[in-house]
Amino acid sequence: MKNTIITFLAILPLLGACTKKSNDILIGEFGSLTGNDATFGLSTNKGLRMAFDEINAAGGINGKKIKLITIDDQGKSEEAASAVTRLITQDNVVAIIGEVASGRSIAAAPIAQKHQIPMVTHASTNPEVTKKGDFIFRTCFIDPFQGFVGAKFSIQTLKAKKAAILRDVKSDYSVGLADVFATEFKNMGGEIIADLSFQGGDLDFKAQLTQIRSKNPDVIFIPGYYTEVGLMAKQARELGIKVPLVGGDGWDSARLHEIGKEAINGSYYSNHYTTESTDPTVVEFIKKFKEKFNETPDSMAALSYDTAKILAAAIGRTKELTPKNIRDELAKTTDFPGVTGKITINADRNAVKSAVIVQVQGPERKYISTVSP
Amino acid sequence: MHKSVKTPLIAFAALLLFGGLLNFGVNAYIQLIVLFVIINSILAMSLNLVNGYTGQFSLGHAGFMAIGAYTSAYASTQFSFFSESFGFIGIFVTTITGGLLASAAGFLVGLPSLRLKGDYLAIVTLGFGEIIRVTLLNMEAVGGPRGISGIPSFPNFFFSFSYSCFWALICFFFIWRLIRSSHGRGFLSVREDEIAAEAMGINTTKTKVQAFVLSSFFAGVAGALFAHVTNFISPSSFTFLMSVNAVIMVVLGGMGSLSGSIAAAFFITLMPEALRSLQEITGVDLRMVIYSLLLILIMILRPQGLFGDKELPDIWRKYVRKSA
Amino acid sequence: MSVNLLEVKNMTMQFGGLKAVDSLSFSIPQGQLSGLIGPNGAGKTTVFNMLTGVYRPTQGEILLSGKNIVGMKPYEINHLGMARTFQNIRLFKNLSVLQNVLIATHQHISYGLFDTVFLSKKFQNQETEMHAKALSLLKIFHLENKAHEKASSLPYGEQRKLEIVRAMATDPILILLDEPAAGMNHAETHELMKTIARIRHDFNLSILLIEHDMKLVMGICENITVIDHGVKIDEGTPQKIQTSEKVIQAYLGVEA
Amino acid sequence: MQDFVQHIINGISLGSIYALIALGYTMVYGIMKMINFAHADVYMVGAFTAYYVAKWTGLESSPGVSTLLLLLVSAMIICSVLGLLIERLAYRPLRKSPKLNVLITAIGVSLFLEFSGQVIFGADPKVFPEVMNQFVIANFGGLELKSSDVTVLGVSLIAMVILNFIIQKTKIGRAMRAVSSNASVASMLGVNTDRVISFTFIVGSSLAAIGSILVGMKYPKIDPLMGMMIGLKAFVAAVLGGIGSIPGAVAGALIMGLSEEMVVGYLSSTYRDALAFGILIVILIFKPTGLFGKYSVEKV
């Protein structure tokens, strides 16, 4: 018995490698379905599934169905690298979508580039990502823009002079955004009076907030994820800090308010789209998403949904289905009417699109303004 | 030819042949997994020196690997000499430098091990690993949380394979011969009974620090290889879980068995990949659930690890004798 | 320079409030076979632990060949020529009998890591030498046929013998034996005592022997120190000790 | 000055959370000499138990003492059962194995709970229900003392006192001490070792359950990996105080909480975790068995 189990354990790894041929169009997705960043990977996956289901239900692309192959990278860079290698060489996908985190996109991009397979990231805002090669695209705005939006909004709308920054040192997204914000805010005549850090996954931020409180800022810029921001808002209010909190698209989730409760009300963040939009594309998307998953889509879902549609459109335009042709067609994307705005891919293979500022008001997000590049 | 290099060279030649087959026979994904197996083997063998042969309890191996990886990646990306003409000399120099810096860190971590034992030592090494990671996280020069990207890769798979095998063989033969020498028996005596070892004239302090330094060197080398294979490293690649993974490989393979370490490296690297196919059937990702369950089962069913403290030839001999 | 090989002066060991050994002085001349006896818990093993550097005495001096060894590490003391066995056997259990002995010879090798890795001439010669020496020592106690067995698989009596072999392999000038005959039957003990007397002669050793059982020691020791509760109560030839009132009292006092 | 007092309050409140979890580590270590890595994940299961019980009973939005009690009891029961199962299925077969094996098994159990949690509960964070209304206990010059801060500290201290009482004064406590100092002798003397160890796991897991609810009230975000970081910190705190010592765990945890707070408040927010470990290393180097750890002379 014991030996049987041990033998079984020993041969288990060998069962691995087997490739299948299929008539479908294979598209790969790599994302953090488990691990600390799982929430973003899961949203992304929902958006993609919804988009491809819609396309397949409508008959696919030129008669061919799309098959999405999803690989979990557990939120680890090295797993992302091997996931992409696997998608390309083992599963033979024609295009890849991913990742949310810039770090993992940067780890994966050179591999896609090397194998000449187009890779589209829907939410990696770090500028480095698309510099990895001409097969790498992005459908969201980049950190310098978002940081600029945050700084401009703080100075012009909130009339802030002194800002404190609370950055997540574990996240390259957060660090990049914080750096841009600091530079832009100073350029616009403001002053950064505190620049403190935390680590994603922390629960207690009172030490940082106490320090910030003593410096009396007009605004606190927190380029973090909603998972921490909710708690942070609570603790800030408990410490008697009343100034507005400002953040980026990492805040966007229904949970933000559920965790932060009334403490987060009145805070602002820049986002890819607003649920208040009357644009039929958006209204339709939100309605269908709620039907399918019983929750309000966050911006990850919206972005991945758009990305899937853009990719599908590019594939539809190809005469012959090769990765090279898909790449060429992707590059030609102009004024694509997405949920997150009209999307045009520029020469740097980045999306040119505007950002919106929204204010948290309970479960609602009140639209404040749109900032165009 | 001197016999000291004969066996390693034969082994190397055999591996090269195998590498040649892999080069054309399988796709890049399998090739990448093969490279990870080799790197993990170096990691496991080197940790075996501390945990298996010297009986110390280190939980900070990822830290040493990180130092090796960062050093070599930094050298490869920052100094044009390495990146432009990434010739063999350049690769070699960066790898060695990575290993040396890692062993310097190993020296620092080895020092507290003089006073601490068991769980306390484990926790302190864990702490050192975390300190290294947090420090890297905050060093702008090496990219902070962004890590280092665009690390030049080796020219091709065959080169990566041969070069990794080259180091794996060095690591293997180094430890193999060390353990069969008087120096190595000193290591073993520390594991068996420190007080008796001291009484028999073994400088246990020196021995322990030596074990840490040598082990970290190879961990650093493994890190350097890792950096150039993945072309991207960041502090989150070297978490506590990676150290745990290294310890798991050592215990799974058998404390004090080099061939066991290699077998365990195969198993631990391949299993999660193999289980990926399962995901298509079940729909949910049960890989890590199964992985952890297997780990518990193996510890209960075979607490001494796959090979115990025996090496493959011993087991082979025993098996042949039994069946004859 | 003192003629005594080992000279202990006012050695004291205090654990918290308890004085395990109190101002103990004694000496061992070159070549003598001495005994250290006392009832259970008298502090004999503590004396050994201080002599070999496991514990650092709270007070006092220990001179080995005229050199104060207090504060030295056990391995340094061993390198100066003092070796020991352990009362509750501390062999390297999972290693072979031969490896146990080889480890003790480690201090005599001069080859380095480089020689090891490249299997240099120096390495090979010294390894051959070490093996030969280890085997010849094992022969004295008839253990040579078990050289490749696991130390823990030996019967109890042989484990004690292996401890002695291992201690001898460090090339000591003084060897401390902690109850070497414990757990042996009468015939075995008798044989062991004969062997001890022989190696002392053949290897020109001085020996200090702890024995709980007085009768055993009387047979071979030339000089005996008796301690009780950490204090020396008498010292002298076996004849003298056998008739000493204080010694008899100490033993009766405890055992009665 | 106001900031300094605030930092002290913050530090103690953070430390008392570590303390609750550290007590569980130290209990099990004291009796079995093993690091129960899965403890932090039992804590996670406690939080999710409370979450689901509140959801199913519809008590999510009716905070009050009865809700708190219901959640506490259900979490304690589930966690105790889980703790018992872990001990029975994973640790008991290994009781005579080398330490490293037990440690790896514990890590295995921990990973198993974390990853099963991600499959069963989903990997994205959930919002912990509001169990009790928070109120301000005292307010002096802008410094507010919140009920949640005091509750956690109070519960940790009470748990410490009760545990100490159980161990020092009761029959099962005597048996525990016997098992702790020598399990085989204890069982020869008629102590039912299995029962003592089971009891230890029940107590440890219940502590984890209490901790999870108190922490959930304070930081209402729970996810399957929530135990990882806090567990590591709490464990470090237990080692710092001398693992196996109950007052040591609380002292270590408070030191840990305070030093983290002070490091962020006055030195550098970026090196918070590194410095926490730095302090640990320095203390262990000077006092190798931790602050309250018993130093045992190895018998030669």
Side-chain angles (χ1 to χ4, degrees), chain D residues 3-26:
Chain D
D3 280 351
F4 182 74
V5 178
Q6 183 71 54
H7 281 308
I8 300 262
I9 294 176
N10 297 347
I12 291 178
S13 123
L14 183 62
S16 44
I17 286 173
Y18 292 153
L20 262 182
I21 301 165
L23 280 172
Y25 276 109
T26 229

Side-chain angles (χ1 to χ4, degrees), chain B residues 51 56-57 59 112 115-128 130-131 133-136 138-139 193 195 240-241 244 247-252 255 284-286 288-293 295-296 299-300 302-305, chain D residues 29 33-35 37 89-91 93-94 97-101 103-105 107-109 111-113 115-116 119 228-229 232 235-236 239 242-243 270-275 277-278 280-281 284-290 293 298-300:
Chain B
N51 284 23
Q56 302 302 298
F57 196 164
L59 257 179
R115 283 177 61 88
L116 299 171
K117 286 195 174 67
D119 300 325
Y120 288 96
L121 176 63
I123 246 26
V124 163
T125 49
L126 188 165
F128 268 110
E130 283 292 294
I131 289 175
R133 192 179 59 80
V134 175
T135 310
L136 290 172
N138 289 300
M139 270 169 75
D193 190 326
I195 288 178
F240 160 65
L241 277 180
V244 167
V247 175
I248 287 174
M249 284 191 277
V250 170
V251 178
L252 182 64
M255 310 262 285
V284 276
D285 192 2
L286 292 174
M288 294 308 286
V289 177
I290 296 173
Y291 170 90
S292 49
L293 216 50
L295 200 65
I296 301 169
M299 284 301 116
I300 292 173
R302 211 171 155 75
Q304 72 274 42
Chain D
Y29 191 92
K33 302 283 173 287
M34 69 163 284
I35 303 173
F37 256 95
L89 297 178
Y91 298 160
L94 283 164
S97 306
K99 262 189 163 177
L100 208 52
N101 285 72
L103 182 83
I104 299 224
T105 310
I107 293 175
V109 174
L111 291 178
F112 177 72
L113 291 177
F115 286 101
S116 316
V119 171
M228 227 154 58
M229 202 58 204
L232 195 62
F235 173 63
V236 168
V239 176
I243 192 154
T270 52
Y271 285 94
R272 172 175 176 160
D273 291 353
L275 279 160
F277 280 107
L280 172 82
I281 291 170
L284 284 189
I285 284 171
F286 288 103
K287 193 137 186 342
T289 49
E298 195 172 349
K299 192 148 169 46
V300 179

Side-chain angles (χ1 to χ4, degrees), chain B residues 2-5 174 177-178 180-183 185-186 188-189 191-193 195-205 214 309, chain C residues 74-75 78-79 84 86 90 92-95 99 102-104 106-107 109 111-113 116-119 123-124 127 130 166 170:
Chain B
H2 193 270
K3 75 171 182 188
S4 69
V5 287
F174 181 86
R177 284 178 184 168
L178 178 70
R180 280 152 191 79
S181 80
S182 193
H183 296 288
R185 288 189 292 265
L188 296 175
S189 73
R191 173 187 76 190
E192 293 291 315
D193 190 326
I195 288 178
E198 277 270 330
M200 295 309 127
I202 304 291
N203 183 347
T204 54
T205 308
L214 294 172
D309 61 352
Chain C
Y75 79 90
N78 178 267
H79 289 187
R84 71 176 290 184
F86 294 91
R90 300 189 81 120
F92 306 125
K93 290 194 192 66
N94 297 312
L95 304 182
Q99 277 176 316
L102 286 174
I103 286 166
H106 177 65
Q107 57 190 282
I109 62 140
Y111 66 77
L113 283 181
T116 306
V117 175
F118 290 98
L119 311 173
F123 166 83
Q124 292 178 29
E127 278 287 306
M130 284 166 88
R166 189 177 66 171
T170 63

Side-chain angles (χ1 to χ4, degrees), chain C residues 29-71:
Chain C
Q30 170 73 42
Q32 194 179 61
L33 204 169
S34 323
L36 177 67
I37 63 169
N40 264 334
K44 295 169 305 224
T45 298
T46 309
V47 170
F48 265 31
N49 284 339
M50 284 190 283
L51 294 180
T52 53
V54 178
Y55 299 157
R56 191 195 169 112
T58 344
Q59 266 171 46
E61 275 189 334
I62 305 167
L63 303 173
L64 181 65
S65 311
K67 192 173 175 188
N68 191 359
I69 57 169
V70 170

